[in-house]
Amino acid sequence: MLKTEKNNMANINNKNLKLAIQKQGRLTEETLDFLRKSGLEFESYNQRLFSSCRNFPLEILYVRDNDIPNYVASGTVDLGILGQNILNEKRPKVKKLLNLRYGFCSLILAVPKESGIQDISKLKGKTIATSYPQSTKKFFKNNNVPVKVINISGSVEIAPALNIAQAIVDLISTGSTLALNDLKVLTKIYDSEAILIANEETFKNGKKDLLKKLITRFKGVLSAKDYKYIMMDVPEEVLPKIKKIIPGLKSSTASQLTTSGWLSIQTVIKEDVFWETIEKLKQVGASGIIVLPIEKIIL
Ligand code: AMP
């Protein structure tokens, strides 16, 4: 720890909200990006232990993600951002507040391709290597398949080749590491993504109003991810059809164009039905469609 950092740690303002995030790893960059999109201004660089936000009473602490559940449960910090997988594994007494829509991955059970194993019952009495022993034991217990679980902290995929396990339970996102190690997915145990958790007391103490403000900012960024802003020109007579395609149209703007009989419409549409909606709009005669990303939606 740098001497100056150590001294600065004593300067953390205890009235401020404290948020723990992963110091170095897969979630770090997207977490910093998410916080900045929420309008928070702070410095961040390697070796930093904490940053104070310039424009919000928030201290960000950079820690190992495995330690975040304990820090939040014990009240060392008020909030944490981590993978749902760590919460499932450690099961601390904390409150989950939001799914943050990045850091997607799945905890899966995999076996060597040439093992011929197609069904988890065939793993009865076998050894399973994992960094997620609690999730693994729970999964096999629920499926009534007794196995031996060994805890390995990294490079779990190598365990079958080393003959120390016949199957593995590990996190994957694309599955390319599994394929490289001649393993195949037998089944998925659960899906995971980055989440925001809080200490239960934070809702009762003097920080609850700050917490509400911060959550409003986070939700604004998350809602914006779900919608696109569109502008289009439509013949006046097709307006009833357009209203059927976009049910939320009552809150949009329609203005007269200089070409008589034409309207300009501005509205938002949901990302998950985006292409279907655009195709339908074109079919009924919408033209000059312009689509823009939305930075935030405050509901
Ligand atoms: P790491 O930096 O490897 O410790 O990973 C931190 C977190 O990233 C994990 O706890 C997961 O929530 C998330 N993650 C997303 N994709 C993956 C993946 N393919 N393997 C491991 N973790 C992943």
Side-chain angles (χ1 to χ4, degrees):
M1 190 189 299
L2 298 173
K3 206 169 167 211
T4 47
E5 292 270 11
K6 209 170 180 178
N7 292 337
N8 285 342
M9 288 287 273
N11 292 335
I12 286 186
N13 183 340
N14 277 322
K15 287 191 179 141
N16 289 355
L17 278 174
K18 286 185 225 131
L19 165 71
I21 68 168
Q22 190 186 28
K23 183 172 168 59
Q24 230 165 21
R26 284 175 212 256
L27 296 184
T28 310
E29 209 164 299
E30 280 186 277
T31 301
L32 294 173
D33 188 47
F34 176 75
L35 296 175
R36 292 210 162 93
K37 279 192 181 135
S38 305
L40 302 170
E41 290 174 12
F42 55 93
E43 305 298 334
S44 66
Y45 49 83
N46 275 349
Q47 308 309 322
R48 190 147 201 144
L49 298 177
F50 84 102
S51 321
S52 300
C53 285
R54 278 192 289 275
N55 60 348
F56 197 90
L58 176 76
E59 314 285 347
I60 301 167
L61 288 93
Y62 304 91
V63 300
R64 281 187 54 226
D65 59 351
N66 270 318
D67 294 332
I68 295 177
N70 273 343
Y71 284 149
V72 176
S74 65
T76 309
V77 296
D78 305 293
L79 298 161
I81 292 181
L82 75 171
Q84 172 78 51
N85 49 301
I86 294 180
L87 198 66
N88 292 358
E89 180 65 17
K90 306 224 176 244
R91 316 246 224 112
K93 213 167 164 283
V94 296
K95 208 169 154 66
K96 176 176 159 181
L97 301 182
L98 293 173
N99 283 352
L100 300 179
R101 317 272 315 281
Y102 62 86
F104 292 105
C105 57
S106 306
L107 189 73
I108 54 91
L109 168 65
V111 290
K113 276 184 197 152
E114 83 287 345
S115 68
I117 296 174
Q118 306 278 4
D119 189 284
I120 65 161
S121 62
K122 297 285 183 303
L123 290 171
K124 188 174 171 189
K126 303 274 197 259
T127 302
I128 320 294
T130 186
S131 312
Y132 291 82
Q134 300 314 323
S135 305
T136 305
K137 284 178 192 161
K138 188 173 168 215
F139 169 77
F140 279 100
K141 193 166 176 235
N142 289 346
N143 283 282
N144 287 320
V145 178
V147 292
K148 184 177 171 214
V149 175
I150 55 166
N151 192 358
I152 293 183
S153 57
S155 303
V156 174
E157 321 81 32
I158 196 91
L162 295 177
N163 264 331
I164 53 173
Q166 287 76 51
I168 64 160
V169 166
D170 203 7
L171 285 179
I172 62 164
S173 34
T174 60
S176 55
T177 315
L178 279 191
L180 276 176
N181 286 285
D182 291 323
L183 298 167
K184 64 169 186 187
V185 175
L186 205 54
T187 189
K188 183 165 77 180
I189 299 178
Y190 53 67
D191 287 320
S192 176
E193 68 183 276
I195 57 170
L196 175 73
I197 58 169
N199 179 281
E200 293 181 341
E201 289 304 308
T202 311
F203 288 92
K204 299 173 200 154
N205 65 27
K207 294 181 179 179
K208 67 173 186 297
D209 291 337
L210 277 183
L211 181 59
K212 278 190 197 154
K213 277 187 193 161
L214 192 63
I215 291 173
T216 303
R217 287 185 180 218
F218 288 170
K219 283 187 173 165
V221 177
L222 293 170
S223 316
K225 270 192 185 177
D226 289 339
Y227 291 92
K228 290 264 183 281
Y229 189 82
I230 65 164
M231 295 187 277
M232 62 195 150
D233 299 337
V234 299
E236 230 167 304
E237 69 272 14
V238 302
L239 194 58
K241 286 186 184 162
I242 303 263
K243 278 184 181 163
K244 276 194 189 146
I245 299 169
I246 308 175
L249 202 61
K250 63 179 182 313
S251 53
S252 20
T253 312
S255 41
Q256 209 77 45
L257 285 177
T258 42
T259 314
S260 98
W262 280 78
L263 296 173
S264 167
I265 292 183
Q266 294 159 37
T267 189
V268 293
I269 59 175
K270 284 204 90 177
E271 174 75 53
D272 54 356
V273 288
F274 176 76
W275 283 111
E276 293 157 58
T277 311
I278 294 287
E279 279 153 17
K280 284 183 196 158
L281 289 170
K282 277 181 72 76
Q283 265 167 20
V284 299
S287 62
I289 303 174
I290 296 174
V291 182
L292 299 168
I294 299 174
E295 199 180 289
K296 290 175 192 71
I297 296 182
I298 312 299
L299 297 168

